[in-house]
């Protein structure tokens, strides 16, 4: 539907309220329910929204190092605008109309901290270069027979998983939870997040879903909404879903792999595919991969934004640790899949399920375009066999502090995203790290309390 159709639908619809949301710097959806009249009144000039959402963390604690907003500015309102092209209805909430929003401005003076605005800007750069970016993100997550109340009552210990045991690609386990399993597939599709596939992964109560690919901004929209939609559908079944990168040291982590390809403007030719070249990889694809590998150490927090992210990025845990690429090898940072032109793509395997899809996808696209723009040569050979041992071209930072320091001082990051965004984002990651190092963990108590 075009804008006029949507406005007519809202005016005629029985629902007298509309829900909207946007993703903050951590990828957490923040939003409101507003009246029909409020919706209509704000279509042109936007809606005032307290800019504290750019000045606090995922636990609503204000940063002590922020510049974008803070006590120094008084936390004023900032104009948030609905993107009417994101219109959908929430099937598990009586089909209430829903829109995604961002802090983009008509004059181009966007709020630098807004992740969706950043991705829109990079997508526009891609279009200006003559390319259509087709993207998709897939997620792994664990499901628990818990409630938000029981999680806190148990102090997040001794949690009951949806099903026991390690049972990847199981046909049996989903039949045990068929109501939840089929609700995920069907309700997500009704919410305009169609899945390519859904299955169990190895681990107790863990699922993996691949979202069908789309234009890069729409793909990120769907990925952002997917994570919240899964949680809401889980609530309806008395379950809690977690997208932590690594909730248990003894179990595999949860990925958020990004699948990416560039097509011509008419969307008729996959520009990554060239059957006449080695590995059927076009020169453009080689430049794209070279850019992603070159930029990766400069922008790792975009893919691994939390302290917990780096607990997943360890050797032998189905997640990469080295600056490597390969053809269909799951031990490297980038994995080329190109048996046919239609499905030729690069899988970025660094990103975890805890990533902010807008930022992870923006980082993937921007770094790939960097390689094309600078005509980089792919001088890193493809890894064969165990990519964990190929450390000669660099390794992924070991923790959030190391990764944040590298990004904060990187001229490459500034070129990709702008100095104002890099300053805000790295300050937020520095804050996140400092909240962690100030805590005393259970491990420390068990190890040192009595004996040291």
């Amino acid at each position: 539907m075009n804008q006029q159709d949507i406005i007519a639908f809202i005016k005629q619809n029985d629902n007298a309220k509309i829900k909207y949301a946007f993703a903050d710097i951590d990828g957490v959806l923040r939003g409101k329910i507003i009246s029909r009249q409020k919706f209509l009144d704000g279509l042109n000039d936007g809606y005032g929204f307290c800019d504290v959402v750019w000045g606090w963390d995922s636990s609503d604690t204000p940063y002590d190092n922020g510049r974008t907003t803070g006590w120094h500015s008084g936390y004023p309102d900032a104009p948030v605008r609905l993107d009417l092209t994101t219109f959908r209805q929430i099937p598990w909430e009586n089909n209430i109309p829903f829109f995604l929003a961002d802090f983009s401005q008509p004059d181009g003076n966007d709020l630098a901290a807004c992740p969706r605005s950043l991705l829109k800007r990079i997508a526009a750069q891609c279009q200006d270069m003559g390319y259509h970016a087709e993207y998709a993100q897939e997620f792994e997550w664990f499901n628990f027979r818990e409630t938000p109340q029981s999680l806190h009552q148990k102090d997040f210990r001794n949690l009951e998983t949806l099903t026991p045991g390690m049972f990847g690609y199981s046909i049996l386990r989903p039949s045990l939870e068929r109501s939840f399993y089929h609700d995920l597939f069907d309700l997500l599709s009704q919410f305009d997040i169609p899945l390519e596939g859904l299955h169990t992964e190895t681990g107790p109560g863990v699922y993996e879903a691949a979202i069908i690919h789309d234009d890069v901004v729409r793909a990120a929209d769907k990925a952002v909404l997917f994570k919240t939609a899964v949680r809401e559908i889980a609530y309806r079944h008395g379950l809690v879903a977690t997208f932590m990168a690594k909730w248990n040291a003894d179990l595999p982590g949860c990925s958020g792999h990004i699948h990416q390809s560039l097509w011509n403007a008419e969307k008729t030719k996959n520009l990554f595919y060239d059957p006449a070249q080695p590995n059927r990889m076009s020169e453009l694809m080689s430049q794209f991969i070279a850019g992603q590998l070159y930029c990766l150490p400069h922008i790792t927090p975009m893919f691994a934004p939390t302290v917990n992210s780096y607990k997943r990025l360890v050797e032998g845990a189905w997640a990469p640790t080295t600056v490597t690429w390969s053809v269909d090898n799951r031990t490297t940072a980038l994995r080329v899949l190109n048996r046919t032109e239609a499905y030729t793509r690069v899988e970025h395997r660094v990103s975890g399920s805890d990533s902010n899809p807008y930022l992870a996808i923006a980082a993937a696209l921007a770094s790939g375009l960097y390689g094309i723009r600078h005509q980089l040569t792919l001088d890193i050979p493809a890894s064969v066999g165990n990519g964990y041992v190929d450390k000669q071209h660099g390794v992924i930072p070991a923790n959030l502090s190391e990764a944040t320091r590298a990004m904060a001082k990187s001229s490459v990051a500034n070129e990709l995203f702008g100095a104002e965004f890099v300053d805000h984002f790295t300050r937020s990651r520095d804050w996140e790290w400092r909240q962690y190092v100030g805590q005393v963990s259970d491990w420390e108590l068990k190890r040192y309390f009595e004996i040291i």
Side-chain angles (χ1 to χ4, degrees), residues 21 74 114 159 221 281 302 399 419 443:
C114 178
L159 305 180
D221 287 342
M281 293 169 51
M302 303 282 276
N399 57 58
W443 183 89

Side-chain angles (χ1 to χ4, degrees), residues 251-448:
L251 294 172
C254 291
S255 70
H257 299 158
I258 302 167
H259 295 260
Q260 43 193 350
S261 59
L262 295 183
W263 294 65
N264 61 358
E266 296 75 26
K267 309 177 190 178
T268 57
K269 180 175 176 53
N270 189 335
L271 301 178
F272 281 177
Y273 185 79
D274 187 345
Q277 295 299 319
N279 293 319
R280 297 182 293 276
M281 293 169 51
S282 69
E283 182 182 11
L284 190 81
M285 187 186 205
S286 295
Q287 291 174 345
F288 190 89
I289 291 173
Q292 292 197 324
L293 293 176
Y294 178 78
C295 294
L296 179 56
H298 297 266
I299 60 174
T300 303
M302 303 282 276
F303 304 107
T306 72
V307 170
N308 183 251
S309 302
Y310 298 81
K311 306 295 177 67
R312 167 182 163 263
L313 299 172
V314 295
E315 291 187 12
W318 300 98
T321 60
T322 55
V323 180
T324 48
W325 74 278
S326 67
V327 178
D328 200 8
N329 182 328
R330 288 181 168 87
T331 66
T332 57
L334 303 179
R335 173 181 172 230
V336 171
L337 296 159
N338 63 344
R339 290 190 178 92
T340 66
E341 179 180 349
Y343 290 98
T344 291
R345 61 199 187 274
V346 180
E347 180 187 32
H348 203 300
R349 297 179 56 82
V350 179
S351 182
S353 60
D354 59 344
S355 62
N356 179 336
Y358 290 124
L359 298 186
I361 290 176
L365 179 56
S367 57
L369 294 178
Y370 180 95
I372 296 170
R373 192 178 293 115
H374 291 272
Q375 297 185 322
L376 298 186
T377 300
L378 183 55
D379 51 11
I380 297 176
S383 293
V384 178
N386 187 356
Y388 292 117
V389 302
D390 291 343
K391 301 180 181 180
Q392 61 270 33
H393 299 288
V395 296
I396 295 170
N399 57 58
L400 182 60
S401 177
E402 179 185 332
T404 298
R405 289 197 305 271
M407 185 171 179
K409 65 182 183 182
S410 171
S411 60
V412 172
N414 287 344
E415 179 179 341
L416 295 179
F417 312 119
E420 191 174 355
F421 170 81
V422 172
D423 180 74
H424 175 77
F425 181 64
T426 55
R427 284 173 180 272
S428 75
R429 297 311 93 191
D430 174 70
W431 163 268
E432 193 74 13
W433 174 256
R434 287 189 287 115
Q435 304 320 292
Y436 168 70
V437 296
Q439 301 300 310
V440 177
S441 68
D442 288 349
W443 183 89
E444 292 169 278
L445 290 172
K446 291 175 184 177
R447 192 171 185 87
Y448 303 129

